[in-house]
Amino acid sequence: MKPSSFEMYTPNNIEDALSLLDKHGDEAKIITGGQSLVPTINMRLATPKSLIDLNRIDGLRYIKKEDNKILIGGVTRHHDLETSSLIKEHCPLLGLAAGCIGHLAIRYRGTIGGSLAHADPAATLPVALLTLDGKVKTTSVNGVREFDAEEFFYGIFTTAMEENEILTEVEIPIVPKEAGYSFSTLTRIHGDFPLLAVGVLMEVEEEKIVKARLTVGGINPLTERIVDVEEMLIGKKPSDELFYEAAQSSKDFMEPESDISASAEYRLHMVGVYVEEALKNAWQNIGKVGN
Amino acid sequence: MQENTHTMNITVNGVNYEKEVPVRKLLSDFLREDLGLTGTHVGCEHGVCGACTLFVNGEAIRSCLMFAIQADGADVTTIEGLERNGELHPMQESFSECHGLQCGFCTPGMMMAAIDFLKHNPNPTEQEVKEGMSGNICRCTGYKGIVDSVLKAAPLISKLETKSKVF
């Protein structure tokens, strides 16, 4: 058998899961979809002594609207996100980001909580969370903590979460109907981990950009918004020239590396191409959220 | 060291089993080694090649990324469960007719993924089939036969009565 030996716990409620996690500390790992964790266990890169399986807990898999936000349970599957009519209507960018993850067999199993807590720099959901100004709620035996997207991610596979916490809920503010959005990925093969993922949210009033959010994932160890470029866009009239300049400036904030998939030069070039296209797309679909 | 085991119940292709299973055993290995259902093939064992794709509770998943005991209580369909009353499933017929396989290693996973894909897109274009099947790797056919097989199977599966669709 490929994995090393471990114990598996299958709690039926969140309280039991939290006390198990608190008891076992860093010797335990939470498992939901397992689409990233199980490969590392199979290759024995990870050898947890215990796995706590959240799949038997009712009430962690939901997408609901409350006031002006969409609330998503931590064990909600990528496929739920990509097919949800609530998400399509109120924050379609998130559904697009979920639909870009791997293949259908992966999206049936993989969960939003798992992906965000895993914090893979090439993952698409962190890009969506940052672009949409989302929040993450974590729960432990000590209570609930809430993080803005910007506070949550620290770097490669590293987040603000403590070892006794479970990512229980994601909160996404409803995107106004008059906003424009874009989400795109660059992959060498359909369904591969993206070399690049770009999310844009834009609002325009009286022919001027009043709100711009731009996130680039897959290049830097930490997926972040490019705030300097956002500020460069605000107050300006949307135009091809502006979007070109903004895209070129985005490259200044990227530190790509070369590997077997692509050279650093190619990655940097494609940041310019993708950001420019994303800004244009967001501008072109202004007012189309929910349609 | 004594192997840590759990007892589990599982229905595979309509047959119920109660088995004591090592906690760390993958669903793919359990089906092959404990139930003798070697139709599910094991390729990369880390969720990249798609060879071990099968249905758990009606969804196509990669059985090398699931521990057997996580399927406790589940209803599983493997490639062995496609044939009904001695008749091949239309997907199997189509793979046979369109030369959708050479060595056959990727074939079970291909067929399971294809059946699942057609559930969501019953009348796909060639490009959609290529994208829909991109999670499964074949090292022989160049994929043309596989894409042809899925396109040929699509209308045949649409015509099946719901109860004999398998899923």
Side-chain angles (χ1 to χ4, degrees):
Chain A
M1 281 173 282
K2 293 196 67 146
S4 65
S5 205
F6 58 84
E7 181 54 282
M8 172 85 86
Y9 299 96
T10 51
N12 292 315
N13 59 66
I14 187 74
E15 291 77 18
D16 288 354
L18 291 170
S19 51
L20 279 164
L21 187 58
D22 200 60
K23 183 174 150 207
H24 293 279
D26 65 357
E27 294 191 336
K29 286 296 276 181
I30 293 292
I31 184 168
T32 53
Q35 302 299 291
S36 296
L37 179 60
V38 180
T40 62
I41 289 176
N42 284 355
M43 291 185 268
R44 301 203 182 190
L45 295 169
T47 53
K49 290 222 170 77
S50 309
L51 288 182
I52 301 167
D53 185 349
L54 304 186
N55 287 299
R56 311 259 165 189
I57 300 177
D58 288 333
L60 285 178
R61 184 179 180 183
Y62 57 85
I63 301 169
K64 62 188 180 191
K65 183 170 173 280
E66 214 166 77
D67 304 324
N68 58 348
K69 38 197 193 206
I70 298 294
L71 302 178
I72 303 161
V75 185
T76 304
R77 315 278 162 178
H78 306 323
H79 188 248
D80 300 337
L81 301 176
E82 70 173 320
T83 53
S84 157
S85 53
L86 270 180
I87 285 178
K88 198 169 185 186
E89 188 180 346
H90 298 295
C91 47
L93 191 155
L94 181 64
L96 292 179
C100 287
I101 300 170
H103 309 282
L104 202 45
I106 289 166
R107 297 196 295 273
Y108 284 137
R109 296 285 299 159
T111 64
I112 187 168
S115 174
L116 295 176
H118 187 50
D120 192 313
T124 61
L125 292 183
V127 175
L129 188 78
L130 286 155
T131 308
L132 293 168
D133 201 13
K135 285 184 166 52
V136 165
K137 281 179 209 161
T138 61
T139 310
S140 73
V141 289
N142 305 320
V144 177
R145 296 200 297 160
E146 196 176 287
F147 299 92
D148 288 339
E150 282 81 15
E151 308 168 325
F152 185 70
F153 301 106
Y154 283 4
I156 302 177
F157 305 136
T158 323
T159 69
M161 285 175 74
E162 297 289 337
E163 62 197 27
N164 68 342
E165 286 181 307
I166 293 175
L167 200 164
T168 40
E169 191 174 78
V170 176
E171 181 186 310
I172 306 283
I174 282 176
V175 177
K177 297 271 180 228
E178 58 275 17
Y181 67 93
S182 169
F183 187 86
S184 52
T185 57
L186 169 65
T187 53
R188 293 194 68 206
I189 303 169
H190 186 83
D192 255 11
F193 263 108
L195 296 176
L196 179 62
V198 180
V200 170
L201 198 64
M202 191 188 291
E203 284 176 48
V204 176
E205 276 172 25
E206 293 171 1
E207 296 194 356
K208 286 201 175 118
I209 297 172
V210 291
K211 189 174 171 188
R213 293 179 76 90
L214 166 65
T215 314
V216 176
I219 302 277
N220 292 346
L222 174 62
T223 297
E224 282 180 299
R225 283 164 50 214
I226 313 182
V227 179
D228 290 55
V229 173
E230 293 175 358
E231 285 169 359
M232 182 180 153
L233 291 163
I234 287 174
K236 306 260 175 62
K237 193 177 172 202
S239 71
D240 286 355
E241 294 72 31
L242 177 67
F243 295 151
Y244 175 79
E245 276 174 39
Q248 293 307 309
S249 301
S250 303
K251 291 171 23 180
D252 298 341
F253 302 90
M254 297 289 123
E255 290 170 4
E257 286 182 14
S258 295
D259 66 15
I260 192 168
S261 301
S263 67
E265 193 187 4
Y266 173 75
R267 287 170 201 259
L268 196 60
H269 174 73
M270 293 312 281
V271 168
V273 173
Y274 267 62
V275 170
E276 186 182 353
E277 194 153 297
L279 291 169
K280 279 186 189 169
N281 285 342
W283 162 234
Q284 275 160 12
N285 74 22
I286 286 259
K288 289 185 187 159
V289 172
N291 296 324
Chain B
M1 194 178 77
Q2 206 184 341
E3 188 69 41
N4 180 22
T5 62
H6 285 195
T7 302
M8 67 179 279
N9 256 291
I10 188 169
T11 303
V12 183
N13 304 328
V15 181
N16 187 258
Y17 301 88
E18 186 178 301
K19 290 273 181 186
E20 195 176 331
V21 187
V23 170
R24 60 180 169 139
K25 193 159 211 168
L26 299 167
L27 179 59
S28 46
D29 290 337
F30 166 75
L31 293 166
R32 292 175 57 85
E33 294 166 9
D34 295 47
L35 302 187
L37 296 169
T38 52
T40 298
H41 290 173
V42 174
C44 70
E45 294 182 84
H46 61 275
V48 174
C49 76
C52 66
T53 305
L54 47 77
F55 279 76
V56 173
N57 296 330
E59 289 179 339
I61 62 109
R62 293 178 167 180
S63 57
C64 74
L65 295 188
M66 193 169 178
F67 296 107
I69 59 163
Q70 289 187 290
D72 188 12
D75 190 357
V76 172
T77 305
T78 67
I79 191 79
E80 289 94 338
L82 287 189
E83 188 184 312
R84 287 290 152 93
N85 307 318
E87 279 193 30
L88 291 180
H89 187 276
M91 191 61 76
Q92 293 171 306
E93 287 281 2
S94 300
F95 264 74
S96 166
E97 284 175 32
C98 300
H99 299 281
L101 65 153
Q102 283 185 32
C103 84
F105 194 90
C106 71
T107 314
M110 283 285 177
M111 289 202 217
M112 302 312 257
I115 291 168
D116 185 60
F117 164 71
L118 291 178
K119 272 199 313 187
H120 296 280
N121 191 346
N123 185 25
T125 63
E126 185 176 334
Q127 184 58 32
E128 286 167 346
V129 171
K130 286 179 182 172
E131 287 177 10
M133 297 302 296
S134 62
N136 291 63
I137 295 174
C138 168
R139 299 285 80 152
C140 312
T141 69
Y143 298 101
K144 184 166 188 322
I146 294 167
V147 174
D148 290 346
S149 305
V150 179
L151 285 168
K152 186 179 175 69
L156 302 175
I157 289 178
S158 292
K159 272 187 226 148
L160 286 181
E161 282 178 48
T162 312
K163 63 176 185 216
S164 56
K165 268 191 178 171
V166 180
F167 308 106

